[in-house]
Amino acid sequence: MTNGINRRQFIRLAGFGAAGAGLAYSGLNPWGLSAHADLTHTGSGVREIPTFCELCFWKCGVIAKVKDGRIIKLEGHPGHPLSNGRLCPRGNGGTGLTYDKDRLRQPLIRAKKRGEDVFREVTWDDALDHIAEKMIYIRDEWSADCFALFNHGYGATFIKHLIKAYGSHSIAAPSYAQCRGPREVGFDLTFGEEVLSPERTDIVNTRMLVLIGSHLGENMHNTQVQEFADAISNGAKLVVVDPRHSVAAGKADWYLPIKPATDIALLLAWMNVIINEDLYDKEYVDKYTVGFEQLVQHVKSYSPEKVWTITGIKPELIRRTAREMGHQKPAVLIHPGRHVTWYGDDTQRSRAIAILNALLGSWGRKGGFFYPGELDVPKPETPPYPKPSFDRVDLQIKNYPLAYNTLASGLCDATFPAPQTNCQLKAWFVYGTNLVHSLPKPQQTMEAMQHLKFLVVSDVLPMEIVGWADVVLPDATYLERYDDLHVGRFREPFVALRQPVIEPMYDTRPPWWVAKELAKRLNLDSYFPWDNIEQYLDNRLATVGLKLSDLKRDGVKVFPRQPLYFEDGIQPEFFTNSGKIELYSSSLAAHGYDPIPVYTEHGEPPQGYYRLLFGRAPVHTFGRTTNNPVLNRVIDSNEVWVNRRVAEEWSLENGGDVILKNQDGVESSPVRIKVTERIRSDCVYMVHGFGHKAKRLTNKKGANDSDLITRYNTDPIMGGTGMNVNFVTFVT
Ligand code: SF4
């Protein structure tokens, strides 16, 4: 037996037939946890229950070990393609969330002024009746589109469905405009497809990996990190471009300590060398791309010598790394990154990354970018959603023509009164995202909330945003609830089940239940045509010949691998205007933007100031986990990385505390100083997500970088908020 599922069970997993559904729904408690769940028991009285993780968005398969109704351990599911038997350090600490003593325990309604964080306890009926009443009022007085949903995480699936059924299209996740949106737009403009999540990066087969400001190893996306380790031990070359000597840089063959905000220049210089020295994939470029001649002309002015003066990277290092890419093509992966909202020209930087990959012929090729497997698992038919009353609310103040998804920052802007708007947002439902930390300019977010007629927050913990709510809904954690099926697109397509491994603690409820209960009160039952969640899941699984009882036992069903690369038989097809890979973007040209990326200078830090960079710690997912007592045994605070020479100038001592002050005079809480040679002298670095101020959270250690992000540069193409444009100095 390994991690609770033996080999025979996995053979059975692979051999599911097309047997129909037909589960009896007896024994369900009101939240969908079956009293007779088909769970694996071991001789020791420990039950091993498969589910999938939610400590970050990667959704790794988990085996939860449960004894006497308490989770005693979480392990990686050996048959799940995103975990391969291992969890990352955060995932192992998931019990810390469920058993966090700070958890929200019952529904609350605001008792004093908004933002004072004073509430009275109410019943679920009281809370839901109140929300439904306000939703009807806002729809009748203004429009359903004036009711916005901000969401993060898989639990939001049914809440999103409810809000769409109610008639609102004002639905956004900060993970787009504040994180990976520019990447998706940049790749879509180039290849006609997005990178997707989990990323379609074939790290395990690559012969050369180039990380540009991407901190694999600190960014603990489980499968990527596993593949990264395998690739390095298989001899793959590694280039790391970063102003900070990250964990990944410690493994690099070439580390390029680039001056912040100059990455586009480096990418263009690499293209210059690769084209000039005929190192590109000629056949691939001839066959699949358009705009090569324009690109050749464009990159002529980005010689390594010139780019050295911009980036600080010596010409011989630019040439050496470019030549190695040319030698290793097409199994070269210029990693697209994930959190890419840095300087406001991020779509263009992502375009430059995509173009370089195209020159090397890596899109659709082994060791580059694969084509993920497809699987259709239809949802039950429901009536069509009502049509929007008017154009997207997030774009009414300023339009971004290639913003494919709704901008969370745009919704925040649309909450302020403005003469040109067709709808000032009147209410927010905030599910699982602490907007005060996840949107830039926290002061602006707090001001926006004061304009609202109504604010609902659903969360597990009493985050800062909870203190602003009119109604608080205590969410069940991912270990206590069902969610919708995860239909995964990776090397193999798969279907995974999230199921409760224990009953919800306190008076908490799963989001599917909240959505269905609200639907009842809003006369939207037809959008939830099922009696309970197990019935919904079983019916959905039946469409691909599976039964819920099988998934409850096995956790995941992996379907056969489909072709991954052009060489496997994938027919190259590019959903761009031209039907080819666009080195020159016709769409950008048509909208008046640079059709090929151009390097533009960004502001320098004022004298005595340093660019503020931020990132992740391997055991935390930003502020979502920084109160987790299990993970805090490893890292319970952040520190500010300061170059040794700078520290000497300011008489800063390693391990001492310092207050940071930004260009607008905003000061941080005291934060521990890390004096190091491993960062350039023109920037400082912090892990994001610490420095909580919410009064009912235990861990308030460290400093909150979000407080210092009082400025951002907006990406003119898709509205992303480039946040690495703030500068800080030291208060001594
Ligand atoms: S990468 Fe880690 S935190 Fe994220 S889902 Fe996987 S195990 Fe959980």
Side-chain angles (χ1 to χ4, degrees):
M1 176 80 87
T2 309
N3 289 331
I5 291 198
N6 61 34
R7 187 168 154 66
R8 199 149 55 96
Q9 283 172 300
F10 276 102
I11 291 167
R12 198 167 59 231
L13 253 173
F16 275 151
L23 188 75
Y25 295 108
S26 60
L28 287 178
N29 71 22
W31 338 129
L33 176 62
S34 168
H36 309 292
D38 183 11
L39 307 173
T40 307
H41 289 253
T42 66
S44 59
V46 176
R47 293 188 304 162
E48 299 184 337
I49 307 169
T51 186
F52 64 87
C53 182
E54 180 84 17
L55 279 216
C56 84
F57 49 79
W58 207 255
K59 305 184 192 75
C60 297
V62 170
I63 302 290
K65 298 197 171 189
V66 178
K67 186 167 188 190
D68 301 329
R70 192 167 172 92
I71 308 161
I72 54 173
K73 197 169 184 200
L74 301 175
E75 293 179 344
H77 191 314
H80 193 294
L82 298 180
S83 50
N84 300 313
R86 281 175 280 174
L87 298 179
C88 83
R90 288 172 307 201
N92 283 121
T95 51
L97 176 68
T98 299
Y99 296 124
D100 191 325
K101 65 180 173 40
D102 295 343
R103 277 185 67 175
L104 293 164
R105 297 172 182 223
Q106 60 283 306
L108 305 170
I109 288 187
R110 178 162 64 83
K112 288 205 173 170
K113 265 176 65 182
R114 180 176 290 152
E116 287 190 5
D117 201 355
V118 180
F119 296 93
R120 63 188 165 85
E121 295 175 8
V122 295
T123 65
W124 274 96
D125 274 340
D126 286 345
L128 296 173
D129 288 349
H130 187 52
I131 295 169
E133 195 181 293
K134 291 287 184 184
M135 289 177 78
I136 291 165
Y137 165 68
I138 283 161
R139 186 176 58 195
D140 291 352
E141 283 290 312
W142 294 281
S143 156
D145 274 309
C146 298
F147 192 105
L149 170 66
F150 294 86
N151 68 95
H152 181 90
Y154 210 59
T157 311
F158 290 103
I159 304 286
K160 278 192 270 189
H161 176 59
L162 169 80
I163 299 295
K164 287 181 194 168
Y166 159 74
S168 175
H169 302 76
S170 307
I171 299 175
S175 54
Y176 185 71
Q178 282 66 55
C179 192
R180 65 188 170 90
R183 173 191 88 176
E184 305 301 13
V185 176
F187 271 66
D188 189 69
L189 286 165
T190 311
F191 298 109
E193 283 189 58
E194 299 184 349
V195 179
L196 305 173
S197 177
E199 282 79 5
R200 45 165 72 186
T201 46
D202 198 16
I203 296 174
V204 73
N205 290 312
T206 201
R207 291 198 297 264
M208 184 165 183
L209 178 63
V210 180
L211 300 177
I212 302 175
S214 180
H215 313 142
L216 279 187
E218 287 152 284
N219 273 358
M220 270 292 171
H221 303 148
N222 194 358
T223 331
Q224 283 203 11
V225 176
Q226 291 180 24
E227 292 195 12
F228 178 50
D230 288 346
I232 297 297
S233 55
N234 290 340
K237 306 283 184 197
L238 177 64
V239 177
V240 172
V241 179
D242 203 316
R244 182 177 66 93
H245 193 267
S246 60
V247 169
K251 311 262 178 237
D253 297 278
W254 296 278
Y255 167 55
L256 281 60
I258 195 166
K259 180 177 173 183
T262 65
D263 312 79
I264 291 179
L266 174 66
L267 287 156
L268 292 166
W270 273 336
M271 293 181 214
N272 171 300
V273 176
I274 286 167
I275 290 173
N276 280 347
E277 300 190 11
D278 268 341
L279 295 169
Y280 61 98
D281 188 330
K282 193 161 185 328
E283 192 187 337
Y284 184 99
V285 167
D286 287 350
K287 212 164 163 185
Y288 301 130
T289 73
V290 289
F292 182 67
E293 282 315 314
Q294 289 103 318
L295 182 67
V296 170
Q297 292 307 316
H298 182 76
V299 300
K300 273 186 179 158
S301 59
Y302 294 93
S303 68
E305 282 69 24
K306 178 180 163 187
V307 166
W308 175 26
T309 64
I310 298 170
T311 60
I313 307 298
K314 290 188 174 153
E316 55 269 28
L317 193 49
I318 296 175
R319 285 204 170 83
R320 176 77 184 87
T321 44
R323 285 173 186 151
E324 192 66 30
M325 289 180 218
H327 293 318
Q328 301 295 348
K329 70 175 186 298
V332 179
L333 183 55
I334 321 299
H335 196 286
R338 185 155 182 122
H339 178 262
V340 296
T341 42
W342 300 349
Y343 309 114
D345 53 1
D346 306 302
T347 299
Q348 291 288 16
R349 189 184 61 255
S350 294
R351 271 270 299 152
I353 290 172
I355 292 169
L356 181 55
N357 277 299
L359 283 178
L360 296 163
S362 70
W363 182 265
R365 306 286 284 282
K366 190 169 183 179
F369 293 81
F370 62 83
Y371 276 70
E374 301 279 353
L375 181 68
D376 185 25
V377 187
K379 295 187 178 187
E381 282 209 10
T382 56
Y385 296 130
K387 291 211 163 25
S389 320
F390 28 70
D391 291 343
R392 275 170 55 180
V393 171
D394 60 313
L395 301 180
Q396 60 187 356
I397 308 279
K398 190 162 183 335
N399 188 32
Y400 299 99
L402 298 172
Y404 303 143
N405 293 0
T406 305
L407 309 170
S409 36
L411 290 182
C412 186
D413 292 345
T415 306
F416 290 91
Q420 75 271 38
T421 58
N422 45 24
C423 167
Q424 180 199 340
L425 288 176
K426 298 291 187 278
W428 293 359
F429 192 131
V430 180
Y431 179 86
T433 176
N434 187 15
L435 293 180
V436 183
H437 277 212
S438 54
L439 293 181
K441 294 194 184 179
Q443 200 57 39
Q444 182 178 301
T445 307
M446 290 186 266
E447 280 170 33
M449 289 190 286
Q450 293 293 21
H451 287 284
L452 293 171
K453 303 245 176 263
F454 189 56
L455 173 57
V456 187
V457 175
S458 176
D459 215 318
V460 173
L461 289 169
M463 298 292 192
E464 282 76 4
I465 185 80
V466 168
W468 292 85
D470 297 312
V471 178
V472 178
L473 303 179
D475 201 10
T477 68
Y478 70 97
L479 294 166
E480 301 165 312
R481 68 183 197 226
Y482 282 110
D483 278 323
D484 204 352
L485 299 171
H486 178 213
V487 181
R489 301 178 67 202
F490 203 52
R491 289 196 174 76
E492 300 91 3
F494 63 90
V495 185
L497 177 71
R498 173 168 288 150
Q499 63 178 326
V501 306
I502 57 168
E503 294 203 32
M505 294 174 67
Y506 317 116
D507 197 7
T508 63
R509 297 283 192 278
W512 68 262
W513 182 88
V514 170
K516 190 164 166 56
E517 286 294 314
L518 280 172
K520 263 190 224 163
R521 289 162 171 80
L522 295 165
N523 284 329
L524 297 171
D525 289 292
S526 55
Y527 289 89
F528 291 80
W530 31 275
D531 297 332
N532 57 57
I533 190 70
E534 291 202 341
Q535 186 189 57
Y536 167 88
L537 295 168
D538 202 37
N539 288 346
R540 202 171 166 209
L541 284 166
T543 64
V544 285
L546 298 174
K547 288 186 193 169
L548 179 61
S549 53
D550 294 330
L551 267 267
K552 284 172 80 165
R553 182 193 59 222
D554 300 324
V556 64
K557 160 71 176 165
V558 181
F559 288 77
R561 182 173 289 202
Q562 301 159 4
L564 294 175
Y565 318 111
F566 296 160
E567 52 263 46
D568 282 354
I570 291 262
Q571 277 307 312
E573 200 178 359
F574 307 102
F575 303 103
T576 55
N577 289 346
S578 59
K580 294 213 164 190
I581 299 170
E582 296 206 353
L583 307 178
Y584 177 101
S585 168
S586 53
S587 190
L588 287 177
H591 285 101
Y593 299 116
D594 293 322
I596 302 177
V598 173
Y599 165 71
T600 44
E601 271 185 46
H602 290 271
E604 295 287 325
Q607 182 67 30
Y609 281 74
Y610 308 89
R611 190 180 291 275
L612 174 64
L613 304 178
F614 61 93
R616 280 176 179 254
V619 300
H620 286 291
T621 307
F622 301 141
R624 288 175 69 77
T625 61
T626 49
N627 200 64
N628 183 314
V630 174
L631 301 180
N632 285 346
R633 282 185 220 138
V634 187
I635 296 177
D636 67 353
S637 183
N638 55 359
E639 47 192 9
V640 56
W641 292 41
V642 181
N643 173 273
R644 184 170 302 285
R645 186 172 59 70
V646 174
E648 281 168 11
E649 277 169 25
W650 287 87
S651 304
L652 301 176
E653 284 191 16
N654 189 41
D657 280 349
V658 71
I659 290 171
L660 303 175
K661 182 168 75 172
N662 80 354
Q663 70 282 327
D664 296 319
V666 174
E667 294 188 5
S668 72
S669 316
V671 57
R672 199 168 52 234
I673 303 161
K674 174 180 172 129
V675 177
T676 175
E677 309 281 359
R678 291 174 51 204
I679 189 164
R680 286 174 58 100
S681 58
D682 49 6
C683 52
V684 296
Y685 169 83
M686 294 164 69
V687 166
H688 173 68
F690 285 97
H692 282 292
K693 296 191 183 76
K695 67 184 184 188
R696 280 167 291 152
L697 285 181
T698 297
N699 185 20
K700 297 188 175 65
K701 290 185 186 170
N704 176 14
D705 58 296
S706 300
D707 288 345
L708 301 167
I709 300 177
T710 53
R711 297 187 188 188
Y712 57 82
N713 284 350
T714 308
D715 191 316
I717 298 170
M718 55 64 67
T721 55
M723 293 175 274
N724 292 4
V725 298
N726 291 273
F727 305 113
V728 295
T729 189
F730 307 103
V731 179
T732 52

